[in-house]
Amino acid sequence: MAKRKILIFPNASLRRKAERVVKITDRTRKLAEDMLETMYDAPGIGLAGPQVGVMQRIFVMDCSPKDGDADPRVFIDPELVWESDEVEKREEGCLSFPGQFADVFRPAKVVATFLDIDGDPKEEEFEGIHARCVQHEIDHLNGKLFIDHVSLVKRQLIKRKLAKEMQERRERK
Ligand code: GNR
Ligand code: NI
């Protein structure tokens, strides 16, 4: 396994739409392993291809409680096929926006179809933090980011704070 570099906003790759995987190869399996390692190291609960500069429709996720067993999951060519009318507010962060958080409203439950790492088609309902993460990651595959779901004022604030934070990091080096 190998850790990959996580791209930080405003990297242009984060705004591009990723392409379908369709054929799962050894490279896909290696990518998934690398993405899981990168996500755990960060640490985060999800990571999408575009965040490591791979413009493919793949994401990894582990929303298991910290004191429980790990639950590494790989989603390929995921599609949201249902979302609840009920929405829920949750605080979101993103590994491409280190240190930034905002309340985001999204459907409380969703159903997604996807291929697992063996290429087997799956359909699954998600709720709670899992539903939140699945939606956040599928957004990444479409070049959409959590700041697109917040007010203009909050969005500008996050962009400014992130730029400042990254500048300070550069100066510390
Ligand atoms: O680690 C992450 N935490 C998180 C918290 C609330 C809602 C979504 C997320 S996903 C994020 C990792 C990430 O940036 N995935 O793209
Ligand atoms: Ni993210």
Side-chain angles (χ1 to χ4, degrees):
M1 289 214 284
K3 216 175 75 175
R4 304 208 183 189
K5 202 174 113 192
I6 298 176
L7 304 180
I8 303 300
F9 181 89
N11 188 290
S13 292
L14 296 172
R15 285 304 191 183
R16 291 169 49 209
K17 186 174 152 77
E19 312 223 325
R20 286 188 60 198
V21 174
V22 183
K23 196 170 152 59
I24 297 166
T25 65
D26 283 348
R27 283 189 71 174
T28 317
R29 286 181 278 272
K30 173 74 166 72
L31 171 64
E33 290 296 313
D34 287 359
M35 287 174 65
L36 281 165
E37 181 180 348
T38 306
M39 177 189 77
Y40 285 124
D41 178 78
I45 60 170
L47 186 71
Q51 291 182 281
V52 291
V54 175
M55 301 315 298
Q56 295 183 22
R57 303 187 76 79
I58 179 171
F59 73 86
V60 295
M61 174 174 107
D62 185 340
C63 298
S64 62
K66 284 189 179 67
D67 56 0
D69 291 344
D71 180 26
R73 306 215 35 193
V74 181
F75 298 79
I76 294 168
D77 294 344
E79 286 183 46
L80 286 180
V81 294
W82 177 81
E83 51 188 50
S84 60
D85 291 335
E86 183 199 347
V87 295
E88 198 169 78
K89 183 176 82 173
R90 267 179 196 269
E91 184 173 73
E92 291 197 22
C94 181
L95 293 173
S96 296
F97 292 77
Q100 310 306 314
F101 302 90
D103 285 341
V104 176
F105 284 90
R106 295 189 194 260
K109 297 181 184 179
V110 295
V111 173
T113 60
F114 56 94
L115 303 179
D116 68 14
I117 195 62
D118 298 316
D120 294 329
K122 294 280 161 64
E123 180 171 299
E124 194 172 330
E125 180 167 334
F126 298 92
E127 61 181 28
I129 187 67
H130 296 83
R132 179 56 54 132
C133 193
V134 163
Q135 292 175 80
H136 177 111
E137 302 312 333
I138 291 178
D139 266 358
H140 272 302
L141 304 181
N142 295 323
K144 190 151 184 174
L145 302 168
F146 83 111
I147 56 167
D148 302 337
H149 294 276
V150 305
S151 71
L152 184 58
V153 168
K154 180 72 187 171
R155 180 152 67 242
Q156 295 302 341
L157 183 67
I158 288 174
K159 287 187 192 176
R160 193 154 48 75
K161 281 172 57 192
L162 178 64
K164 183 160 174 274
E165 162 72 16
M166 298 312 289
Q167 180 62 35
E168 282 168 2
R169 282 193 191 189
R170 281 190 289 273
E171 284 166 358
R172 257 183 265 131
K173 275 208 197 157

Short mmCIF file of all heavy atoms in Angstrom, two decimals, residues 46-48 51 93-97 136-137 140 145-146, ligand 2:
data_model
loop_
_atom_site.label_atom_id
_atom_site.label_comp_id
_atom_site.label_asym_id
_atom_site.label_seq_id
_atom_site.Cartn_x
_atom_site.Cartn_y
_atom_site.Cartn_z
N GLY A 46 -14.01 9.38 4.80
CA GLY A 46 -14.28 9.13 3.38
C GLY A 46 -13.19 9.76 2.55
O GLY A 46 -12.46 10.64 3.03
N LEU A 47 -13.05 9.29 1.31
CA LEU A 47 -12.08 9.89 0.39
C LEU A 47 -12.49 9.50 -1.02
O LEU A 47 -12.72 8.33 -1.30
CB LEU A 47 -10.66 9.39 0.71
CG LEU A 47 -9.53 10.05 -0.10
CD1 LEU A 47 -9.32 11.50 0.34
CD2 LEU A 47 -8.22 9.26 0.06
N ALA A 48 -12.54 10.50 -1.91
CA ALA A 48 -12.97 10.26 -3.29
C ALA A 48 -11.79 10.40 -4.25
O ALA A 48 -10.85 11.16 -4.00
CB ALA A 48 -14.07 11.26 -3.66
N GLN A 51 -9.95 13.64 -5.06
CA GLN A 51 -9.15 14.23 -3.97
C GLN A 51 -7.70 13.77 -3.98
O GLN A 51 -6.85 14.39 -3.36
CB GLN A 51 -9.76 13.88 -2.60
CG GLN A 51 -11.09 14.56 -2.35
CD GLN A 51 -11.63 14.22 -0.98
OE1 GLN A 51 -12.19 13.15 -0.78
NE2 GLN A 51 -11.45 15.12 -0.02
N GLY A 93 -16.95 18.35 7.37
CA GLY A 93 -15.59 18.78 7.08
C GLY A 93 -15.17 18.11 5.81
O GLY A 93 -15.92 17.30 5.25
N CYS A 94 -13.98 18.42 5.32
CA CYS A 94 -13.50 17.80 4.09
C CYS A 94 -11.98 17.80 4.12
O CYS A 94 -11.37 18.81 4.48
CB CYS A 94 -13.99 18.57 2.86
SG CYS A 94 -13.46 17.86 1.30
N LEU A 95 -11.38 16.68 3.77
CA LEU A 95 -9.92 16.58 3.81
C LEU A 95 -9.27 17.53 2.82
O LEU A 95 -8.09 17.85 2.95
CB LEU A 95 -9.48 15.13 3.54
CG LEU A 95 -9.88 14.13 4.64
CD1 LEU A 95 -9.55 12.71 4.21
CD2 LEU A 95 -9.21 14.48 5.95
N SER A 96 -10.03 18.02 1.85
CA SER A 96 -9.51 19.00 0.89
C SER A 96 -9.67 20.44 1.40
O SER A 96 -9.29 21.39 0.71
CB SER A 96 -10.19 18.84 -0.47
OG SER A 96 -9.87 17.56 -1.01
N PHE A 97 -10.26 20.57 2.63
CA PHE A 97 -10.42 21.87 3.31
C PHE A 97 -9.97 21.72 4.76
O PHE A 97 -10.79 21.83 5.67
CB PHE A 97 -11.88 22.32 3.29
CG PHE A 97 -12.44 22.69 1.95
CD1 PHE A 97 -12.81 21.70 1.04
CD2 PHE A 97 -12.61 24.02 1.59
CE1 PHE A 97 -13.34 22.04 -0.20
CE2 PHE A 97 -13.15 24.36 0.36
CZ PHE A 97 -13.51 23.38 -0.54
N HIS A 136 -21.66 13.23 0.38
CA HIS A 136 -20.47 14.10 0.29
C HIS A 136 -19.49 13.54 -0.75
O HIS A 136 -18.93 14.28 -1.57
CB HIS A 136 -19.83 14.19 1.68
CG HIS A 136 -18.56 14.98 1.77
ND1 HIS A 136 -18.47 16.19 2.41
CD2 HIS A 136 -17.31 14.73 1.30
CE1 HIS A 136 -17.23 16.65 2.33
NE2 HIS A 136 -16.50 15.78 1.66
N GLU A 137 -19.30 12.22 -0.75
CA GLU A 137 -18.33 11.60 -1.68
C GLU A 137 -18.85 11.59 -3.11
O GLU A 137 -18.08 11.83 -4.06
CB GLU A 137 -17.99 10.18 -1.22
CG GLU A 137 -17.41 10.04 0.19
CD GLU A 137 -16.29 11.00 0.50
OE1 GLU A 137 -15.59 11.44 -0.43
OE2 GLU A 137 -16.12 11.34 1.69
N HIS A 140 -18.20 14.80 -4.66
CA HIS A 140 -16.81 14.92 -5.13
C HIS A 140 -16.66 14.38 -6.55
O HIS A 140 -15.92 14.94 -7.37
CB HIS A 140 -15.85 14.16 -4.21
CG HIS A 140 -15.34 14.95 -3.04
ND1 HIS A 140 -14.65 16.14 -3.16
CD2 HIS A 140 -15.39 14.70 -1.71
CE1 HIS A 140 -14.31 16.58 -1.96
NE2 HIS A 140 -14.75 15.73 -1.05
N LEU A 145 -18.53 20.41 -4.05
CA LEU A 145 -17.86 20.45 -2.75
C LEU A 145 -18.82 20.91 -1.66
O LEU A 145 -19.83 21.56 -1.97
CB LEU A 145 -16.66 21.40 -2.83
CG LEU A 145 -15.63 21.00 -3.91
CD1 LEU A 145 -14.62 22.12 -4.16
CD2 LEU A 145 -14.92 19.70 -3.53
N PHE A 146 -18.52 20.60 -0.40
CA PHE A 146 -19.47 20.92 0.67
C PHE A 146 -19.74 22.42 0.78
O PHE A 146 -20.83 22.81 1.18
CB PHE A 146 -19.04 20.29 2.01
CG PHE A 146 -18.03 21.07 2.79
CD1 PHE A 146 -18.38 21.69 3.99
CD2 PHE A 146 -16.72 21.18 2.36
CE1 PHE A 146 -17.45 22.40 4.73
CE2 PHE A 146 -15.78 21.90 3.10
CZ PHE A 146 -16.15 22.51 4.28
NI NI B 2 -14.49 15.77 1.04
#
